[in-house]
Amino acid sequence: MQNPMKLAATLALLACAAPSAWAQAAAATDWRPTKPVRIVVPITGSTNDVLARMIAPKLQEAMGQPFFVENKPGAGGNIGAAEVSRAAPDGHTLLIGYNGPLAINVTLFDKMPYDPQKDLAPITLAVKSPQYLVVNPDTGITDVRDFIAKAKADPKKYAYGSVAMGSASHLTMEMMKSAAGFQMTHVPYRGAGPAITDLIAGNIQAGFFVPGNVQGFVKEGRLKLLASTGPKRFPSTPDIPTLAESGLKDFEATSWIGLLAPANTPPAIVNSYHQAMVRILNSPDITKRLQEMEFEVVASTPKQFSDWIATEITRWGKVIKATGAKAD
C-alpha cells in the first residue's frame, strides 16, 4: 500500500499543477472575434459557397459575432485568395480554399499574387470528394468509352466546362484527355452554377463536377452521369463505374475544401477556429448534409492541412506539366 504521506504530497503537487495546465488549455482556445467576421469564397455557385454558408451560422453561434460570406471570384480563385492573404491577421477575415488557388495555380499560372504556403495560415482541411463526369443527354453519349470515341472522331464538336481556370474541375479533364488521347475545348466559368447551366442548355457538352453540384440534375434526367473519379464507386450510385474501371487505369482525382486565415495569424486564433470547425463538421446535422453531397468529412489539424497543401502542389504540378495545361 502506498505511503499516505507520499500520496498526500503527490496529490498536493497535482493540485498545484492542474490549474496551470487547465489555464494554458483555456488560454489556447479562449480567443473570440470582437467584430463581424468575413468569410471570403473565391468562386461563386459552387459547393465551396454552399459549405461557407453552411458553417457561417454555426461559427456565429460558437464565436458570438456575425459571420458573413463574400464571394470574390476571378483568376481561378487567385483574386479572393490574394485578398485574404493581404488582410490583417486578426481572425476577422477567413478564406474558403480549394485545389485551385491553394495547389494547382502555383504551377498553372506564370505569376501568382501570393504564395499559398507562406501567405496563408491553414486552419482545417474540411472535406474531400471525388468528382462526377457528366454530359448533356442530347449528345447521345452512352458511357466513358463512347465519350472518348466521339471526342476522338470529332474534337471540334465537343467542349467541356469547368468551375474555374485551374480548378480540379479543369485539370481532371486535362488528365483524362492526356490519358485517353483525345482533344476537347475548355470553357472556364466563374463557378459551377453557370457552367452547369450552359451544360444543360447544350452550349457545352461535358464536365467534371463534385456530386453535390449535379446530383439533382442527374436524377431529373437533365444530365447524364458517366463515371466518378474516386478509387471506388459512390454508395449512392453503385451502378456508375469509376474512370479506372472504365479503362483509364489508376485514374483518380479529388476535390477538397478547407478553411484558412492570413499568414501570421496568432496560434491562439487558429486553434480557436480549428476546434470550433472540428465540432461543427462532426455535428450530426452538418455531417448528414455533407454526406448527402458525397463529401468525406476530414476536419484535419492545421499541420495536417499544411502538409496536404504541399503534397497537392507537387501532385497537381506533375499533372500540369504532363498535360501541358495553361491558364488561358
Side-chain angles (χ1 to χ4, degrees):
M1 185 174 179
Q2 189 169 348
N3 186 306
M5 293 184 66
K6 286 185 177 181
L7 179 60
T10 300
L11 291 172
L13 285 170
L14 288 172
C16 292
S20 176
W22 293 335
Q24 289 175 9
T29 59
D30 199 33
W31 180 87
R32 293 291 182 272
T34 57
K35 59 183 180 180
V37 178
R38 184 170 62 132
I39 303 177
V40 175
V41 181
I43 193 170
T44 56
S46 68
T47 47
N48 299 272
D49 189 71
V50 172
L51 180 65
R53 296 179 192 281
M54 196 183 295
I55 65 171
K58 296 285 187 177
L59 283 170
Q60 180 169 319
E61 182 181 337
M63 296 292 196
Q65 287 288 343
F67 281 70
F68 64 96
V69 176
E70 183 176 344
N71 297 96
K72 286 280 183 177
N78 284 352
I79 290 175
E83 184 167 317
V84 174
S85 74
R86 295 189 295 264
D90 60 4
H92 294 93
T93 305
L94 302 173
L95 173 71
I96 289 288
Y98 61 97
N99 309 56
L102 296 183
I104 293 171
N105 291 358
V106 173
T107 308
L108 190 70
F109 285 76
D110 291 332
K111 292 183 179 180
M112 289 282 284
Y114 61 96
D115 184 328
Q117 293 180 286
K118 294 180 180 178
D119 300 331
L120 295 167
I123 294 171
T124 186
L125 172 58
V127 294
K128 294 193 297 184
S129 175
Q131 300 172 83
Y132 277 157
L133 171 61
V134 291
V135 297
N136 183 297
D138 292 340
T139 60
I141 293 170
T142 57
D143 56 27
V144 172
R145 288 178 175 83
D146 187 37
F147 174 77
I148 294 170
K150 281 184 166 65
K152 285 182 176 179
D154 194 356
K156 292 183 179 179
K157 183 179 179 181
Y158 299 97
Y160 78 93
S162 72
V163 304
M165 175 66 62
S167 62
S169 175
H170 169 203
L171 267 295
T172 300
M173 185 64 84
E174 293 300 312
M175 284 173 62
M176 185 179 180
K177 285 167 56 179
S178 178
F182 66 88
Q183 294 300 315
M184 186 176 287
T185 302
H186 174 219
V187 183
Y189 291 82
R190 287 192 170 190
I196 293 167
T197 297
D198 263 10
L199 178 55
I200 292 171
N203 298 323
I204 54 175
Q205 288 69 48
F208 279 102
F209 302 96
V210 293
N213 284 332
V214 295
Q215 284 168 322
F217 301 116
V218 170
K219 290 177 181 178
E220 294 169 1
R222 299 167 75 185
L223 292 175
K224 182 173 178 60
L225 173 57
L226 300 184
S228 66
T229 66
K232 58 184 179 181
R233 299 186 183 195
F234 279 110
S236 62
T237 52
D239 296 334
I240 302 301
T242 66
L243 282 175
E245 291 176 309
S246 302
L248 300 179
K249 187 180 178 182
D250 299 325
F251 194 104
E252 183 178 346
T254 303
S255 291
W256 46 267
I257 306 172
L259 186 70
L260 305 94
N264 301 316
T265 297
I269 297 177
V270 171
N271 190 48
S272 186
Y273 274 125
H274 171 251
Q275 294 207 14
M277 282 295 295
V278 169
R279 288 192 297 270
I280 290 167
L281 291 168
N282 287 298
S283 62
D285 58 332
I286 296 295
T287 297
K288 182 175 182 293
R289 290 173 66 187
L290 291 171
Q291 288 175 343
E292 288 171 350
M293 296 167 65
E294 299 288 5
F295 273 117
E296 172 194 349
V297 175
V298 181
S300 76
T301 66
K303 175 64 165 59
Q304 288 169 335
F305 190 15
S306 177
D307 291 344
W308 175 260
I309 291 170
T311 299
E312 286 284 277
I313 287 173
T314 300
R315 189 172 79 86
W316 286 106
K318 290 178 181 177
V319 171
I320 292 163
K321 292 171 183 175
T323 61
K326 297 182 182 297
D328 296 341

